[in-house]
Amino acid sequence: MAKQKIPATPSVRRLPSYLNIIRQIQKEGGKYISGTLIAQELSLEPIQVRKDLAITGVIGKPKKGYPINTLIDAIERFLGWDSMQDVILVGAGNLGSALMGHQEFRLHGLHIVAAFDKNLQKAGTTIHGVRVFSIDDLEAQIHKLGVRVAILTIHSSAAQETTDILVKAGILGIWNFTSVKLRVPESVVVQTEDLSSGYAMLCVSMQSRQDANNGTAP
Amino acid sequence: MAKQKIPATPSVRRLPSYLNIIRQIQKEGGKYISGTLIAQELSLEPIQVRKDLAITGVIGKPKKGYPINTLIDAIERFLGWDSMQDVILVGAGNLGSALMGHQEFRLHGLHIVAAFDKNLQKAGTTIHGVRVFSIDDLEAQIHKLGVRVAILTIHSSAAQETTDILVKAGILGIWNFTSVKLRVPESVVVQTEDLSSGYAMLCVSMQSRQDANNGTAP
């Protein structure tokens, strides 16, 4: 697979949480927001926040900060979240159901339009307002719905086989929650979520905090 | 909250996926693994992999690579995954159940020993082998079990109130899957998972891939 030439991963990953805070201030009637306030809310350094926001092309004004409406538009445009994206979800188990019920996604333009499961008893039911189809209908429904993005929340053992169907049907982006390294053609983007990443961060942070409290930090 | 003085976030986040690949090669009988192979498997640059692994203190040998057993030990020790950690989970809904069923966690020393839910019908049941208690038993069970880490998968509206109980009972690390910025004393570490981060990455990667294919990349 080609190396991805995209802006720094941590910066992109932080943009959604910036967006949440900025929207909150907008709701409260604010017109400007400072990088320092965002930094405080997220326990980051202000310089980091300003660097991250610079990738969206918006520059803050001295003493005033960032114009909120302009900043929200710029972040959403940068992420492609300024229009709704129809997405399908494959694997309507616990994790899939949790994602279908995750209300914040709607704010980010992510619209799960259909789910698929191999369990025939789930076919025809609705989970959090999303219709569930049999996995056998996957290819036909992708064509019918014209979707280009799929969320993969099935068992790892079926991940590659299902990916092959998705790719054949024209899916160009896969948000992969399985632990399988998926083989896809170069035209298809895979974003793999490793749930253990966050746990690694927690463990290392706790260790550092403990060292600091014990006065053993370097 | 104090700024966290810990190794670079992206490096720590990548270590679990390195560990998975290295364990795979170990299973296949390998004694050494090269940074280049790990980089290939994860579509990263080899220099990045070598830098990341350097934080664990292990240096590869020219032409041979890293001694696998030493490297696994070093990563696990760095992450504190060389011994089992008992953890509780609060909120046994879809997401909580998915985490209880996530088998990879066991490999990482994460052992969910009890779950809690406000739904009294769930109390007394077992999900993926984990006993579910009433949320009213939270404080007493934390003391009884002597746990220091909690996974928070409840509804956002109850997040802060539950966090206050956790902190009072002696929890020092919270893996927060709610969208609430939790207020905790400085001695407590919070690792917040923003599910939208991965979606932001997918969107930006797809946009870059499309620009590259259209020859419009900068």
Side-chain angles (χ1 to χ4, degrees), chain A residues 1-10 12-17 20 39-46 78-81 85 87 93-95 97-99 102 104-105 108-111 127-128 148-150 172-175 177 179 181 185-191 193-209 213, chain B residues 1-10 12-17 20 39-46 78-81 85 87 93-95 97-99 102 104-105 108-111 127-128 148-150 172-175 177 179 181 185-191 193-209 213:
Chain A
M1 201 203 298
K3 302 294 182 295
Q4 291 167 18
K5 300 286 181 240
I6 54 170
T9 303
V12 175
R13 292 192 82 100
R14 279 190 289 262
L15 289 179
S17 49
N20 290 345
Q40 267 170 6
E41 286 291 312
L42 294 168
S43 305
L44 295 166
E45 299 292 344
F78 178 80
L79 296 173
W81 291 1
Q85 174 146 262
V87 170
N94 283 321
L95 182 57
S97 300
L99 296 180
H102 194 64
E104 213 182 77
F105 285 160
H108 299 159
L110 191 166
H111 183 204
I127 299 177
H128 294 296
R148 289 288 169 266
V149 177
L172 293 174
I174 298 174
W175 196 8
F177 284 83
S179 59
K181 180 182 148 65
E186 207 168 314
S187 55
V188 177
V189 172
V190 176
Q191 169 67 29
E193 290 304 306
D194 182 359
L195 284 170
S196 302
S197 277
Y199 184 59
M201 282 300 300
L202 178 68
C203 293
V204 172
S205 302
M206 283 183 74
Q207 188 59 50
S208 305
R209 189 69 53 92
N213 290 345
Chain B
M1 202 202 296
K3 303 293 181 296
Q4 292 169 18
K5 302 284 182 241
I6 54 171
T9 303
V12 175
R13 292 193 81 100
R14 279 190 289 264
L15 289 178
S17 48
N20 289 345
Q40 266 169 7
E41 285 290 313
L42 294 169
S43 306
L44 294 166
E45 299 291 345
F78 178 80
L79 295 174
W81 291 1
Q85 173 146 263
V87 169
N94 282 319
L95 182 58
S97 300
L99 296 180
H102 194 65
E104 213 183 78
F105 286 160
H108 299 158
L110 192 166
H111 182 206
I127 299 177
H128 294 297
R148 289 288 170 264
V149 177
L172 293 174
I174 298 174
W175 195 7
F177 284 83
S179 59
K181 180 183 148 62
E186 205 167 317
S187 54
V188 177
V189 172
V190 176
Q191 169 68 28
E193 290 304 305
D194 182 358
L195 284 171
S196 303
S197 276
Y199 184 59
M201 282 300 298
L202 178 68
C203 293
V204 172
S205 302
M206 284 182 75
Q207 187 60 48
S208 305
R209 190 67 55 90
N213 290 345

Side-chain angles (χ1 to χ4, degrees), chain A residues 1-202:
Chain A
M1 201 203 298
K3 302 294 182 295
Q4 291 167 18
K5 300 286 181 240
I6 54 170
T9 303
S11 302
V12 175
R13 292 192 82 100
R14 279 190 289 262
L15 289 179
S17 49
Y18 294 174
L19 202 50
N20 290 345
I21 289 165
I22 301 163
R23 279 214 185 99
Q24 186 60 42
I25 302 292
Q26 185 190 41
K27 247 192 221 161
E28 294 165 6
K31 299 287 176 208
Y32 283 83
I33 187 168
S34 71
T36 311
L37 177 66
I38 299 174
Q40 267 170 6
E41 286 291 312
L42 294 168
S43 305
L44 295 166
E45 299 292 344
I47 177 79
Q48 185 69 67
V49 173
R50 283 191 287 269
K51 270 190 194 171
D52 290 345
L53 290 177
I55 64 176
T56 69
V58 178
I59 308 293
K61 291 181 191 173
K63 294 195 182 160
K64 286 188 102 171
Y66 298 88
I68 283 188
N69 293 341
T70 311
L71 187 56
I72 291 176
D73 287 352
I75 296 175
E76 289 189 336
R77 204 169 44 239
F78 178 80
L79 296 173
W81 291 1
D82 46 347
S83 57
M84 270 287 166
Q85 174 146 262
D86 287 353
V87 170
I88 56 164
L89 182 142
V90 191
N94 283 321
L95 182 57
S97 300
L99 296 180
M100 286 188 263
H102 194 64
Q103 308 202 337
E104 213 182 77
F105 285 160
R106 278 301 190 104
L107 270 177
H108 299 159
L110 191 166
H111 183 204
I112 302 176
V113 292
F116 299 85
D117 203 276
K118 67 171 182 183
N119 181 344
L120 293 181
Q121 295 194 315
K122 285 187 185 170
T125 65
T126 300
I127 299 177
H128 294 296
V130 180
R131 174 97 182 270
V132 184
F133 295 85
S134 158
I135 193 95
D136 297 329
D137 297 336
L138 186 53
E139 196 171 345
Q141 283 294 330
I142 291 172
H143 288 301
K144 192 176 161 198
L145 296 165
V147 289
R148 289 288 169 266
V149 177
I151 305 175
L152 203 57
T153 44
I154 51 172
H155 196 273
S156 289
S157 59
Q160 184 60 52
E161 175 194 349
T162 307
T163 296
D164 294 343
I165 299 172
L166 292 173
V167 168
K168 188 168 161 246
I171 290 293
L172 293 174
I174 298 174
W175 196 8
N176 175 27
F177 284 83
T178 80
S179 59
V180 176
K181 180 182 148 65
L182 303 173
R183 292 181 305 276
V184 294
E186 207 168 314
S187 55
V188 177
V189 172
V190 176
Q191 169 67 29
T192 300
E193 290 304 306
D194 182 359
L195 284 170
S196 302
S197 277
Y199 184 59
M201 282 300 300
L202 178 68

Side-chain angles (χ1 to χ4, degrees), chain B residues 20 85-86 97 104 107 110 124 126 141-142 156 164 180 184 215:
Chain B
N20 289 345
Q85 173 146 263
D86 288 352
S97 300
E104 213 183 78
L107 269 177
L110 192 166
T126 300
Q141 283 294 330
I142 291 173
S156 290
D164 295 343
V180 176
V184 295

